[in-house]
Amino acid sequence: MAAPKKAAASTPQDKTDGGSPPEFTREQELKALRDMLLIRRFEEKAGQLYGMGAIGGFCHLYIGQEAVVVGMQMALKQGDQVITGYRDHGHMLATGMDANGVMAELTGRRGGYSKGKGGSMHMFSKEKHFYGGHGIVGAQVSLGTGLAFANNYRGNDNVSVTYFGDGAANQGQVYESFNMAELWKLPVIYVIENNRYAMGTSVSRASAQQDFSKRGASFNIPGKQVDGMDVRAVKAAGDEAAAWCRAGKGPFILEMQTYRYRGHSMSDPAKYRTREEVEKVRHDQDPIEQVRNRLLAAKVSEADLKAIDAEVRDIVNASADFAQHDPEPDAAELWTDVYR
């Protein structure tokens, strides 16, 4: 039997809905630019440190997908929770977690968010309502549904934003979670970050239903496809989904059509796609360049934009310096925070 032909993955622009998203104010554009630049520069630095051997284990970078989490955070309020998988540094920074603490956790230092014992996949911040960072594919979907159950039980109007990817969308626990969430009308936004390749297989080869916004149809959960490369479109969809959840109508699915520029992890050479495909997305749809171009068109000076980038680079460089000089955990820490 002949092997199936390799199908090319569609890029984000292939399926985006028509129409323009609501315009941002100047202040919103500037905030989106700074927040996305912080993630981009942080991830670039993390990649450098990994290459130097300062970061061990796995390292999954978020470069290219910044508009998803930044736009969603702009739609949330204090008290809303965030939970995600292992491509998580961007989510941490977007929720306001300190760059020093995130980078120090990556390098296994005591100043890290999990005291240097969790690494990339297991960081948390109760203060910022960030509940991980999880290494088991799809595991966070059930946990995020549980966060929504707690909100419902307590009678507050907080929303659980549960992120997972196109690969995790095929996991069985996702659909068990969907069923419970709709039965109990839980306030959870399921954000599917469709970056087209999961670990390295095109969605056209791995998913029978490639419109992930329809994955909740059999459970009566509404869904929407979103241009995940445009921060304005993300915020508008986040506003809609959050309002639905806060009104007691149950869960909502947002498929963010996005794209990662690097491999699945730092060890992935990404030979399953062409360099031309990646460069085309970078050139035509980069989320940061879109905002930058709109600001330039609105007469914000090049010097002002460079100043924002310089400020962000200073923060990231300081976090890298801290992460390389902070002491490692004491050996006695091996036995703390362990359930017996």
Side-chain angles (χ1 to χ4, degrees):
M1 180 177 179
K5 292 182 179 179
K6 181 178 179 181
S10 56
T11 50
Q13 73 266 30
D14 293 329
K15 282 188 170 183
T16 51
D17 295 330
S20 299
E23 295 295 326
F24 270 9
T25 65
R26 177 189 175 104
E27 290 70 28
Q28 286 176 315
E29 295 277 33
L30 288 169
K31 175 173 173 50
L33 179 72
R34 185 191 181 280
D35 290 351
M36 288 194 290
L37 272 174
L38 177 61
I39 296 172
R40 177 76 57 91
R41 301 304 179 222
F42 183 96
E43 295 290 67
E44 290 169 347
K45 182 63 70 173
Q48 292 173 13
L49 292 179
Y50 186 90
M52 294 163 52
I55 296 174
F58 295 95
C59 187
H60 302 81
L61 302 182
Y62 200 61
I63 296 172
Q65 299 184 214
E66 297 92 349
V68 175
V69 71
V70 169
M72 284 302 300
Q73 282 301 124
M74 295 176 78
L76 303 183
K77 70 174 184 65
Q78 178 65 26
D80 291 339
Q81 303 114 328
V82 169
I83 189 168
T84 188
Y86 42 73
R87 195 179 309 281
D88 53 5
H89 317 146
H91 302 72
M92 299 169 193
L93 296 171
T95 61
M97 291 169 66
D98 182 66
N100 282 9
V102 178
M103 196 71 86
E105 188 59 40
L106 293 180
T107 57
R109 307 305 174 105
R110 30 174 108 157
Y113 270 98
S114 294
K115 302 179 184 177
K117 299 186 291 182
S120 180
M121 300 185 189
H122 303 103
M123 276 188 259
F124 309 87
S125 173
K126 183 179 179 181
E127 294 72 23
K128 300 298 181 182
H129 307 286
F130 180 78
Y131 291 86
H134 295 271
I136 299 176
V137 177
Q140 74 276 14
V141 179
S142 301
L143 297 173
T145 305
L147 291 170
F149 179 86
N151 292 332
N152 193 51
Y153 185 80
R154 292 166 177 156
N156 60 42
D157 68 343
N158 294 335
V159 170
S160 164
V161 183
T162 300
Y163 294 87
F164 55 105
D166 50 286
N170 293 323
Q171 290 281 325
Q173 68 265 33
V174 170
Y175 299 95
E176 295 177 60
S177 298
F178 283 179
N179 190 50
M180 289 187 286
E182 177 59 24
L183 280 172
W184 297 332
K185 299 297 181 186
L186 301 182
V188 52
I189 303 174
Y190 295 110
V191 179
I192 303 175
E193 297 194 73
N194 180 4
N195 62 27
R196 304 293 166 187
Y197 287 101
M199 285 186 68
T201 302
S202 164
V203 294
S204 63
R205 296 177 60 209
S207 297
Q209 173 54 273
Q210 296 175 47
D211 184 343
F212 291 90
S213 68
K214 296 178 179 178
R215 288 300 183 97
S218 63
F219 305 101
N220 297 318
I221 301 176
K224 185 171 188 175
Q225 285 187 325
V226 185
D227 180 358
M229 304 299 276
D230 187 336
V231 69
R232 302 169 304 171
V234 174
K235 181 187 181 298
D239 286 337
E240 179 184 349
W244 175 274
C245 291
R246 295 192 213 284
K249 297 180 179 180
F252 202 101
I253 294 172
L254 295 176
E255 178 197 347
M256 299 294 176
Q257 297 180 331
T258 186
Y259 197 85
R260 55 172 167 79
Y261 298 162
R262 303 290 184 90
H264 171 71
S265 69
M266 287 295 295
S267 61
D268 173 18
K271 293 181 178 179
Y272 40 82
R273 59 186 183 181
T274 65
R275 181 177 298 177
E276 290 75 19
E277 178 185 302
V278 179
E279 287 307 312
K280 179 172 173 53
V281 177
R282 273 185 177 271
H283 181 271
D284 296 347
Q285 295 180 269
D286 185 79
I288 295 174
E289 285 303 306
Q290 289 188 52
V291 177
R292 185 176 179 278
N293 290 337
R294 290 198 298 268
L295 285 168
L296 287 172
K299 308 303 182 186
V300 176
S301 72
E302 184 78 44
D304 286 342
L305 298 184
K306 287 182 177 179
I308 294 173
D309 197 11
E311 175 208 353
V312 164
R313 288 179 186 273
D314 286 344
I315 293 171
V316 170
N317 288 336
S319 74
D321 185 66
F322 175 78
Q324 293 176 90
H325 294 94
D326 191 47
E328 293 184 354
D330 188 273
E333 276 292 318
L334 183 64
W335 305 108
T336 64
D337 305 316
V338 176
Y339 288 102
R340 304 189 184 201

